Amino acid sequence: MTTFDIAIAVLYVVVVLMSLNFANQTQLVAIGAGCMGLTLLSFLLSHGLELPAESIGRCFVSLAATGITTFLAFRVKAAIGILEDSEQRYRSIFLATGVGILQMDFSGLKTAIDKYKTEGVQSIEDIENLDSGFVRKALRSIKLINANNTALNMFNMPDIDRLGTLLPALVSSEVERKVWNFLASIWAGNHSYEAETVIRTSQGRQLIFLYNVAVPPDRPTLDMVLISIMDVTARREAENELDVARSQLAHVTRIATLGELTVSIAHELNQPLAAVVTNGGAGLRWLRRDVPDLKKVESSIEGMVADATRASEVIKHLRGLSVKSSPNSVNVNLNEVAGETVALLQREIDVNQVTSRFDLADHLPEIHGDRVQLQQVVLNLILNAIQAMAHAPGGRRELLVKSFSEEAAVVLRIQDTGPGIPPEVRDRLFDPFYTTKPDGMGMGLSICRSILTAHGGSINATSEPGAGTTFEVTIPFIKEVG
């Protein structure tokens, strides 16, 4: 219909491309097919039944261009649809997930750090020495871009703008040390960082957050950083309550164990008290002589002091085991703990005709822990060994207490020659409330394991029926500096 001797119909590709803005995939195919039909119609109207070769070539070019464009537009539309679905899915996850997510812009912080690096500063510690207020500057340079509903609810904020304004102020001066650690990770170019921190909300409520910082490797300017945060306040409070309950249960178990040892304790106290009375009577007799023998009197009084000190030490150890107190971590020598415990159980050892042997390592490294709790562990293990051998008919009754160090830990081994532990019992040995004793509580070994786990250590048992049992306690020792 024009005087131009060119393939005008090829311009239908523009129609197809423009339809990308409003048509779906089905409509795109229909529009492309329509354009190709119009191309054929215009060819027939222009040339009728005559089929000149040049016109056929131009018609073919127009049809091919329109068809190829339609096909490519179809593929692009499909890709756009997938991308939109993905973005919608991500947005739904971003907004509705139970984990708070903050999208941050760290480019200002990255610029400040890069400036220090170009000035020759070697580490984040050097920045701390040069500018102690850098933490606050860093927090103010970070911009909040987006936040999901969970994050807004965590901080009790009405909108993103309000949260972005108050976020730097929510980080108190008490947790600035942790911010320096985070800045050190950014300085090192790490792509992820995880830590736990305490933040106060605008209402003054203290929250414990576990947060993870994810830096996309393809964003070197740090203009998009995702921080996922989880409120673990309730979990930490529950853990603290569990620790208190565990401590109370351990105290009850200690008292119950001491109740079992009432006769032995009375004997341990009666011996030095009887010796005090004997030495006191002897001293009086030496004084009442016509010529008092002062040397003998002095010897009697020294014996009284020694025996009274011995009784006092027994009471001191008993008081330490019976008093309910919070865990107190100090440097402890496990050899001393074992020696004190065996002394407290000496009568049980004698009455049950047990031969005790010690193989304690010289210069055993100290461990860091609660002395009373560790004494409770050793007390339970030795008492179990004595009772196991007491119920074994005949045979030798030997108790071996051995200590040594290996790698970065101290090991205390308590071995008996009792009847051993059957395999079906061994698997449940440390389960709470499981016991083979008719009057047992089933908490002794379970509490031992809890105490040792809290000290970073472990306990394991090896036994063969008829060949005795060995308990091995492992606790990391204090590494010397320098």
Side-chain angles (χ1 to χ4, degrees):
M1 295 182 179
T2 69
T3 57
F4 298 113
D5 194 22
I6 59 174
I8 296 295
V10 79
L11 296 178
Y12 279 129
V13 298
V14 177
V15 177
V16 176
L17 292 175
M18 290 178 64
S19 63
L20 273 171
N21 294 320
F22 59 86
N24 57 33
Q25 288 175 273
T26 303
Q27 291 169 338
L28 270 174
V29 173
I31 291 171
C35 290
M36 294 173 71
L38 289 173
T39 300
L40 287 173
L41 179 61
S42 65
F43 176 79
L44 293 174
L45 290 175
S46 300
H47 303 287
L49 298 177
E50 297 180 4
L51 300 175
E54 293 182 1
S55 297
I56 292 175
R58 286 195 295 271
C59 181
F60 178 77
V61 169
S62 297
L63 290 172
T66 305
I68 292 171
T69 303
T70 302
F71 173 75
L72 294 177
F74 182 87
R75 295 291 299 273
V76 169
K77 196 67 178 181
I80 291 174
I82 293 172
L83 182 60
E84 289 177 347
D85 289 343
S86 177
E87 288 181 350
Q88 183 60 40
R89 190 161 51 249
Y90 166 75
R91 183 166 183 79
S92 298
I93 295 172
F94 178 82
L95 292 175
T97 184
V99 177
I101 301 176
L102 305 176
Q103 183 180 338
M104 312 290 289
D105 182 355
F106 279 27
S107 56
L109 173 60
K110 181 68 164 55
T111 301
I113 288 178
D114 288 345
K115 180 182 177 183
Y116 274 110
K117 287 184 176 180
T118 56
E119 292 174 355
V121 177
Q122 299 297 317
S123 66
I124 203 70
E125 289 78 11
D126 294 337
I127 296 181
E128 186 175 1
N129 295 330
L130 293 170
D131 184 3
S132 58
F134 183 73
V135 165
R136 286 294 153 188
K137 296 176 185 177
L139 292 173
R140 287 193 294 268
S141 69
I142 296 173
K143 297 178 182 178
L144 177 64
I145 306 301
N146 201 359
N148 67 350
N149 297 334
T150 305
L152 294 177
N153 293 333
M154 280 182 180
F155 293 102
N156 197 21
M157 293 293 174
D159 51 52
I160 296 171
D161 293 336
R162 180 68 173 166
L163 178 58
T165 303
L166 293 181
L167 197 56
L170 296 179
V171 181
S172 64
S173 57
E174 289 82 4
V175 298
E176 283 190 3
R177 180 67 264 163
K178 294 185 177 181
V179 180
W180 281 112
N181 295 336
F182 163 66
L183 292 176
S185 178
I186 296 294
W187 177 282
N190 297 331
H191 294 300
S192 64
Y193 178 80
E194 184 172 291
E196 191 173 289
T197 189
V198 177
I199 290 181
R200 292 188 180 276
T201 65
S202 57
Q203 290 75 30
R205 185 186 173 203
Q206 182 172 287
L207 299 177
I208 303 174
F209 283 150
L210 177 67
Y211 68 96
N212 180 279
V213 181
V215 180
D218 59 343
R219 307 297 282 262
T221 60
L222 306 187
D223 58 337
M224 189 185 77
V225 176
L226 293 178
I227 300 179
S228 56
I229 54 178
M230 184 181 296
D231 185 355
V232 295
T233 307
R235 182 185 302 176
R236 293 294 175 262
E237 291 174 350
E239 288 175 354
N240 292 336
E241 291 175 1
L242 181 61
D243 288 339
V244 171
R246 186 183 292 116
S247 177
Q248 292 173 344
L249 182 59
H251 174 250
V252 170
T253 307
R254 284 201 302 270
I255 298 301
T257 304
L258 292 177
E260 295 179 25
L261 299 174
T262 302
V263 175
S264 295
I265 292 169
H267 179 77
E268 286 297 317
L269 286 173
N270 187 59
Q271 276 191 328
L273 291 176
V276 168
V277 173
T278 301
N279 283 320
L284 286 174
R285 287 194 298 273
W286 291 117
L287 280 173
R288 288 170 181 166
R289 284 193 168 193
D290 295 335
V291 180
D293 192 334
L294 298 182
K295 288 288 186 183
K296 296 289 187 180
V297 173
E298 181 182 358
S299 176
S300 295
I301 293 175
E302 288 175 349
M304 291 172 63
V305 171
D307 292 324
T309 301
R310 178 184 165 193
S312 175
E313 286 297 317
V314 172
I315 293 172
K316 178 182 175 182
H317 294 154
L318 289 173
R319 186 175 183 277
L321 283 168
S322 61
V323 170
K324 180 181 176 182
S325 60
S326 301
N328 180 29
S329 292
V330 295
N331 293 351
V332 180
N333 187 305
L334 212 53
N335 285 348
E336 295 177 0
V337 172
E340 293 168 358
T341 306
V342 170
L344 191 62
L345 294 171
Q346 190 58 54
R347 184 177 181 278
E348 294 292 320
I349 293 173
D350 295 338
V351 167
N352 290 286
Q353 300 178 346
V354 173
T355 302
S356 59
R357 293 193 298 115
F358 288 89
D359 184 9
L360 305 179
D362 295 331
H363 311 295
L364 191 70
E366 290 187 327
I367 59 177
H368 195 68
D370 184 273
R371 190 180 191 90
V372 172
Q373 290 185 348
L374 293 173
Q375 192 168 356
Q376 180 177 359
V377 171
V378 179
L379 179 69
N380 272 318
L381 296 180
I382 294 180
L383 187 59
N384 282 350
I386 295 171
Q387 292 173 347
M389 290 185 287
H391 292 92
R396 60 190 180 93
R397 298 178 179 180
E398 294 183 1
L399 172 69
L400 172 63
V401 181
K402 181 177 182 178
S403 68
F404 57 93
S405 61
E406 59 178 19
E407 295 182 358
V410 169
V411 180
L412 182 68
R413 184 178 293 164
I414 297 172
Q415 184 175 341
D416 64 59
T417 56
I421 303 173
E424 64 273 12
V425 174
R426 199 181 314 148
D427 295 337
R428 302 188 58 190
L429 205 55
F430 297 99
D431 290 353
F433 305 110
Y434 179 78
T435 180
T436 57
K437 300 176 184 177
D439 55 349
M441 292 172 53
M443 290 304 298
L445 291 176
S446 175
I447 288 174
C448 287
R449 184 173 63 178
S450 297
I451 290 173
L452 292 169
T453 300
H455 284 75
S458 61
I459 181 172
N460 65 75
T462 56
S463 179
E464 290 293 335
T469 303
T470 300
F471 283 92
E472 198 166 89
V473 170
T474 305
I475 306 175
F477 60 68
I478 303 170
K479 294 182 179 179
E480 297 183 359
V481 180

